[in-house]
Amino acid sequence: MAFARASLKNLPSFRRGVHPPDAKAATCGRPIEPMPFVSEYVLPLGQSIGAPSAPLVDPGDTVSRGQRIAAPGGFVSVALHAPVKGVVTAIEPRPRAGGQIVPSIVLRADPFSNQMPQLSEPLDLGSMDRDSVVSAVQNAGIVGLGGAAFPSHVKLAIPEEKRVRTVIVNGCECEPYLTCDHRIMVEHPKEVIRGTEILLKISGAEQAFIGVESNKPDAIEALTSVAPDNVRVVPTAVKYPQGGERMLIAAILGPEVGAGGLPLDVEVLVNNVGTAFALTNLFDKGQPLIDRVFTVTGPAIAEPKNLLVPIGTKISDIVEHCGGLLPSAKQVVLGGPMMGLSLSRLDVPLVKGASGLLCLDSVAPSSSEAFACIRCARCVSACPMGLNPSRLTRIAEAGKAEDLPDAHIGSCFECASCSFVCPSGIPLVQWIRIGKTLVAERREEE
Amino acid sequence: MIPRVRENGPQVEAEHASDTLATLEPEKLAITSAPFIHEGSSTTRIMREVLALSLVVVLASWWYFGIAAVLLVAAATAGAVLPELIAGWKDERRSIKDGSAVLTGVLLGLTLPPGLPLWMAFLGGAAGITLGKLLWGGLGNNVFNPALVGRAFLQAAFPTAMTTWSSPSGPVAGGAALAVPSGTLAPPLMQANVDGVSAATPLGLFKRDGTITELLPLLTGNTEGSLGETSALLLLLCGVWLVARRLCDWRLPASTLLTVFLASLALHVIAPGSYPPPLFMLLSGGILFAAVFMVTDPVTTPTTAKGAWIFGIGVGLLVVLIRNHGGLPEGAMYAVLLMNAFVPHIERRTQPRPFGFKAPPSNS
C-alpha cells in the first residue's frame, strides 16, 4: 500500500481521456467464486475476431470437460473446448449477445459428473519451437480476455524479421465497474507473473512491465511481492481508457503507435492479465480456455459477485446464481459501461471476450433527446486518439464517406469517451461507427 | 439425467425458448448503444449556469442604472425568444428549451446603453436571433455571436440612441429603485428623448480630450457605459467562475485580456501621450464584458487549443487598434464579430495532432 501511495503523483499516463467514477467498490473486495454447473451450455462457433471454428463433434456425442470440440477455422481462429462433461444436443443457430443468431454447439451437462477437467500434459516451453507454441496456444482456444477477444497466438506468431524487446501485461482494467482482472491479480499474482515469464520466453523480450491503475494498490502489492527482476509492476494514473493498448504503451514506454500500426512496430507485445493467467493454465496445467473470471455487478443485481464461469454458460443462469435482477433493472450490459453491449435477452451465452455483466437501474439519455452541438470541444479534449469527434460526426451525418479517412476515422477505437462527456447528449461514437460502415461500403463499391 | 438427444432434440429447444423469456421479462430491458454512463453535464445546465451568472450582472446594472436596466434586458430577451419560439414551433428538437435564446437576449440587453427605448432592445433581440442564429440553421451552426449581431444591427439602425450615454442614476446615486424614465417607454419609431444627464463613457472622454477615468469607479462600475460593462470587478469574478467551473475554455478570455494589456502597454511605453495606460484600456469600455461573456461563447469561437489563442490574440489586437485609431471610442463588438468570421479558417489550420502522427494533419 505504501508503495502505491508514495508514487501517486506523476503516474505514467497518456494525453486527454476522461475520469468516469470507477464504481468498483461493490465487487473489488469479493473473492472469485466458482459458478456452479448448470444444465445447458451454448458455444457460438465464432467467439473471437477471425474465422469461426469448425465443429469436431456431432449431436449425440459424449464429451468431457476440456475436450476439444471445434478446430480453428483458419489462422486467425481458435479451437473451442467443452466447458463441461456432457452430451452434444445440437449444432444449431442460437442467439448471441448483440442479437445475431449464430451457429452454436449446444451441450447438456452430465448432472452426475464431478466435472473435473480432463487435462492434457503440461507443456515444456523450453523444448518447443515458436511454431509449436503458436499452434498449442491456438488449439487451447486462448484469445485476448480483456474484451477484444483477438486470438492470442496471432500476436505470438512474430514474423522472422521483427523482434520484441518489451512485453507489457495489461492490468489497468480502466472500464468502470469491472473487477475480474483486479481479482485475478490479487488472488493469482504468481500465475500472472508466470504468464508474463511465458510471454517473455515466447517473444524473446528482455523485460516486461505490468501496468496496473493505481486504484488497485492490493493488486500492485501482490504482484510486486512476487515479481522477478525483469518484470516491473508499473502503477499508472487512473484515467479512461488507460487500458487501451496504445495508451498503455505510450504511458509506460513513450512511443505512440498510430492508426493501422501494431505494437510490434515499436517492438512491444501487449497481453491482458487474464490472458497471461490463461497461458499459465495451459503451459503449467495443460488446461485449455474453458472458464473465465467474470464480474456481475451494478445497482440492479441482487448479489454482485466475481465468478469463475465456464464459457458457454447462459447469462440468465449467471443472473439467477447472483440472486436475479432487482425490480429496478432497466438495462443489462455485457462488458463494461463504456464499451459493452446492451442485451435484449438474457438467454445468450457467455463468450470468451466478455469480462462482466452490468445490471443498471437507469438508462443514459438517448440520442432522441440530444441537443444541438454547441461546439464546446469537450469531446476534442476527451479523445485519447487526438481526433475531433464532433467533426467526424458532422461528416458522417452528412454521409460524406469520402471525407472521413482524411479526418482519421480509422484511428478511432470506439472507447466512447466523446459520448461520455458530450453535454448535448449527441451519440458521437455511434455516429463514428456509422461513419466507418460508410467508409467500408464506399471501399467495396470502388 | 442425460436426455437422449436424437429422440427429443426439438423438445429441448422449445423448453429453452420458454423458460428464460417467461421468468426474466427481457422485453423490459432498454437497448441502447455504448456508453451506458454519462458524465452528467448538459447543454441546458451549462446555459442555465451562464444565465444565472449574467443575471448577477443584471442586478448590478439595476443598482447603477435603475429599473430601466432590468426592463431593457427583459425586452431584449423577449425579442430573442419570440423568433426562436416561432421557428421551433413544429420542431421536435425543442430548441427553446436549450436556453440559448434566453441567454442571447440577456447578454444583448447588457450591452445596451441605459437610456435606450425598450422597443429598440426588443427589435435588437429579434434581429440578433433571426439574422445571427436562426437563418444559419439554429444553435451550433451560426458563425457570428447572435447577441453581437443584434447589437451591430441596433448600432447601424439607431446610431444616435446607441451612443447616447447617461450617468448612473439608479439606487447607487440615490435614485428611485423602480422609477421608469419616460424615454425608456418611448413608443416605437418615434424620436426618443434620452433621460438623465447625458455624458460620455470613460473611453469617450479619453477620445475627446485625453481624460483618464480613475481606477476605482472603473472597478466598481460607477461610470457611464453599457448596462453590464461598467463593473470591472464583478466581470472579473464572473470570468473566474466560468473558468473555475470549466464552462469555457480559459484560453479564450485569458488570451484576449492578455493581448489587450500587452499591446496597450507597448503602445503606452512608446508614446505615453497618445496611448492610454494598459489598466485603463483593460478596465474601461466593453472589453471585459466581451472577454467574459462573448469570447467565451463556444459556438462562435475555435474548438482547438491553438485556435483559442489565435482567436483571443486577434480580438485583443483589434480592440486596441479600433479604440486608438477607429472612429468610435469602443471596438470590442466589432473585434469579436470580425474574429468570428475567421473561426472556420483558424479551426481548419489548428486541428489536433492525431495520436501516432508526427505532425498535425495538413489538409484538415
Side-chain angles (χ1 to χ4, degrees):
Chain A
M1 289 288 241
F3 165 60
R5 215 171 285 136
S7 51
L8 267 179
K9 277 182 196 154
N10 296 322
L11 291 171
S13 196
F14 59 98
R15 289 182 67 199
R16 295 176 284 260
V18 294
H19 292 96
D22 84 353
K24 293 174 192 275
T27 52
C28 70
R30 289 178 194 267
I32 302 167
E33 301 168 30
M35 165 81 195
F37 290 94
V38 292
S39 60
E40 191 182 65
Y41 291 81
V42 178
L43 292 114
L45 290 169
Q47 300 213 0
S48 56
I49 291 169
S53 317
L56 298 169
V57 290
D58 289 312
D61 288 355
T62 306
V63 295
S64 57
R65 174 160 151 85
Q67 180 183 330
R68 205 165 74 120
I69 56 173
F75 180 64
V76 185
S77 176
V78 296
L80 275 180
H81 300 77
V84 286
K85 176 172 162 44
V87 173
V88 178
T89 55
I91 299 176
E92 62 183 18
R94 282 291 183 100
R96 63 162 295 171
Q100 308 93 321
I101 311 287
V102 292
S104 308
I105 300 178
V106 185
L107 301 176
R108 175 133 296 200
D110 175 355
F112 302 113
S113 165
N114 64 2
Q115 296 295 359
M116 285 302 287
Q118 188 200 51
L119 305 175
S120 53
E121 288 295 302
L123 303 175
D124 176 19
L125 196 52
S127 68
M128 296 167 78
D129 61 7
R130 188 171 285 165
D131 285 350
S132 51
V133 168
V134 167
S135 142
V137 172
Q138 181 178 24
N139 281 298
I142 297 176
V143 299
L145 296 180
F150 186 76
S152 299
H153 68 277
V154 180
K155 286 187 186 178
L156 297 177
I158 303 154
E160 283 292 327
E161 68 280 6
K162 299 267 186 180
R163 60 170 295 185
V164 172
R165 276 178 202 277
T166 312
V167 165
I168 294 182
V169 173
N170 189 346
C172 289
E173 201 164 53
C174 59
E175 271 268 12
Y177 286 101
L178 302 182
T179 55
C180 51
D181 290 352
H182 185 176
R183 292 312 305 176
I184 289 174
M185 292 186 282
V186 169
E187 295 177 41
H188 304 282
K190 283 186 186 147
E191 287 83 349
V192 172
I193 295 290
R194 172 74 186 127
T196 308
E197 289 176 317
I198 292 170
L199 286 165
L200 278 171
K201 205 163 236 171
I202 298 174
S203 64
E206 301 123 26
Q207 52 167 358
F209 296 94
I210 306 182
V212 186
E213 281 193 350
S214 63
N215 60 355
K216 299 180 249 304
D218 47 349
I220 293 167
E221 198 179 50
L223 290 171
T224 308
S225 65
V226 291
D229 288 343
N230 59 343
V231 178
R232 250 188 64 202
V233 182
V234 184
T236 69
V238 181
K239 186 161 81 169
Y240 182 86
Q242 183 62 69
E245 195 168 70
R246 290 175 162 81
M247 276 68 248
L248 190 55
I249 295 173
I252 294 181
L253 299 173
E256 294 185 353
V257 180
L262 289 173
L264 210 50
D265 300 341
V266 292
E267 305 181 324
V268 179
L269 175 69
V270 185
N271 274 280
N272 177 265
V273 287
T275 315
F277 185 38
L279 286 171
T280 304
N281 282 339
L282 170 66
F283 284 91
D284 289 2
K285 288 198 216 155
Q287 182 185 314
L289 188 65
I290 46 177
D291 307 314
R292 71 155 295 148
V293 183
F294 188 69
T295 302
V296 184
T297 186
I301 187 81
E303 301 157 29
K305 287 177 193 295
N306 292 300
L307 294 169
L308 184 68
V309 189
I311 307 292
T313 307
K314 276 180 286 181
I315 299 299
S316 49
D317 290 327
I318 299 173
V319 167
E320 204 169 310
H321 176 64
C322 295
L325 292 175
L326 298 179
S328 60
K330 293 270 172 10
Q331 188 161 46
V332 175
V333 174
L334 190 65
M338 296 297 285
M339 293 183 77
L341 205 58
S342 86
L343 296 181
S344 59
R345 52 199 294 179
L346 300 180
D347 57 340
V348 295
L350 172 73
V351 290
K352 291 173 179 178
S355 36
L357 191 74
L358 185 55
C359 307
L360 295 170
D361 59 2
S362 62
V363 181
S366 84
S367 52
S368 61
E369 291 153 24
F371 284 112
C373 171
I374 54 166
R375 296 171 28 89
C376 67
R378 290 185 187 196
C379 57
V380 181
S381 342
C383 180
M385 294 304 285
L387 307 177
N388 186 336
S390 80
R391 182 160 173 264
L392 285 166
T393 295
R394 219 163 41 241
I395 304 175
E397 256 179 311
K400 291 185 182 167
E402 66 276 16
D403 292 345
L404 287 168
D406 284 348
H408 304 281
I409 194 166
S411 288
C412 173
F413 65 99
E414 300 170 20
C415 73
S417 298
C418 49
S419 300
F420 174 73
V421 295
C422 179
S424 283
I426 299 167
L428 296 157
V429 70
Q430 217 175 329
W431 275 113
I432 295 174
R433 260 182 240 133
I434 291 170
K436 287 181 179 176
T437 316
L438 293 178
V439 173
E441 279 170 4
R442 189 180 142 86
R443 206 165 285 155
E444 262 168 41
E445 280 168 21
E446 275 170 5
Chain B
M1 269 196 290
I2 304 167
R4 297 224 145 242
V5 177
R6 285 201 173 86
E7 285 158 35
N8 62 0
Q11 207 183 321
V12 171
E13 203 193 354
E15 239 177 61
H16 142 91
S18 63
D19 65 27
T20 42
L21 290 176
T23 53
L24 289 156
E25 300 179 79
E27 71 274 13
K28 282 191 180 167
L29 296 176
I31 308 302
T32 60
S33 177
F36 304 100
I37 50 175
H38 192 270
E39 191 180 47
S41 61
S42 93
T43 294
T44 321
R45 217 168 305 146
I46 292 172
M47 294 288 177
R48 276 192 201 140
E49 195 166 337
V50 180
L51 189 65
L53 213 54
S54 66
L55 289 179
V56 174
V57 183
V58 173
L59 208 63
S61 66
W62 164 75
W63 180 248
Y64 290 116
F65 299 106
I67 196 69
V70 180
L71 293 177
L72 273 170
V73 169
T77 307
V81 164
L82 189 67
E84 182 89 34
L85 274 178
I86 294 170
W89 198 249
K90 289 194 170 165
D91 189 354
E92 287 187 5
R93 286 190 91 160
R94 314 158 299 155
S95 63
I96 193 70
K97 285 194 192 166
D98 62 34
S100 62
V102 175
L103 184 58
T104 297
V106 171
L107 292 183
L108 167 65
L110 287 172
T111 66
L112 300 176
L116 199 75
L118 292 183
W119 69 271
M120 289 186 189
F122 181 89
L123 194 62
I129 283 290
T130 309
L131 303 175
K133 192 174 94 176
L134 294 175
L135 291 182
W136 295 81
L139 180 65
N141 299 310
N142 48 304
V143 169
F144 296 99
N145 186 309
L148 291 181
V149 170
R151 193 182 196 280
F153 174 86
L154 290 176
Q155 178 99 48
F158 314 106
T160 313
M162 285 295 288
T163 48
T164 304
W165 311 96
S166 47
S167 295
S169 55
V172 69
L178 296 173
V180 183
S182 62
T184 300
L185 297 175
L189 304 178
M190 305 296 278
Q191 194 57 44
N193 294 317
V194 175
D195 279 359
V197 189
S198 188
T201 63
L203 283 172
L205 279 175
F206 176 79
K207 193 115 201 156
R208 201 166 63 198
D209 51 20
T211 312
I212 302 285
T213 308
E214 299 277 319
L215 281 187
L216 190 66
L218 288 180
L219 280 172
T220 59
N222 197 5
T223 63
E224 294 73 16
S226 299
L227 295 175
E229 75 181 25
T230 61
S231 173
L233 208 59
L234 184 61
L235 290 172
L236 282 171
L237 287 175
C238 288
V240 168
W241 181 278
L242 285 178
V243 168
R245 297 270 300 148
R246 298 202 315 146
L247 294 167
C248 70
D249 184 345
W250 63 272
R251 297 173 189 90
L252 289 162
S255 57
T256 305
L257 296 177
L258 204 65
T259 306
V260 171
F261 183 82
L262 291 178
S264 44
L265 177 69
L267 291 172
H268 185 66
V269 166
I270 295 165
S274 5
Y275 296 103
L279 266 185
F280 172 76
M281 281 291 266
L282 211 55
L283 302 179
S284 62
I287 186 56
L288 257 179
F289 186 83
V292 172
F293 285 110
M294 300 296 179
V295 162
T296 53
D297 169 31
V299 174
T300 55
T301 52
T303 55
T304 57
K306 233 185 273 172
W309 282 105
I310 296 173
F311 184 88
I313 291 170
V315 170
L317 290 177
L318 282 171
V319 165
V320 174
L321 184 74
I322 297 173
R323 279 183 179 182
N324 285 316
H325 299 287
L328 289 168
E330 173 57 303
M333 172 180 76
Y334 288 117
V336 175
L337 286 172
L338 285 171
M339 285 313 292
N340 283 162
F342 284 99
V343 166
H345 296 270
I346 294 173
E347 199 155 279
R348 200 167 304 153
R349 281 161 185 79
T350 56
Q351 283 297 308
R353 178 185 65 86
F355 189 89
F357 283 78
K358 290 213 167 50
S362 53
N363 56 338
S364 47

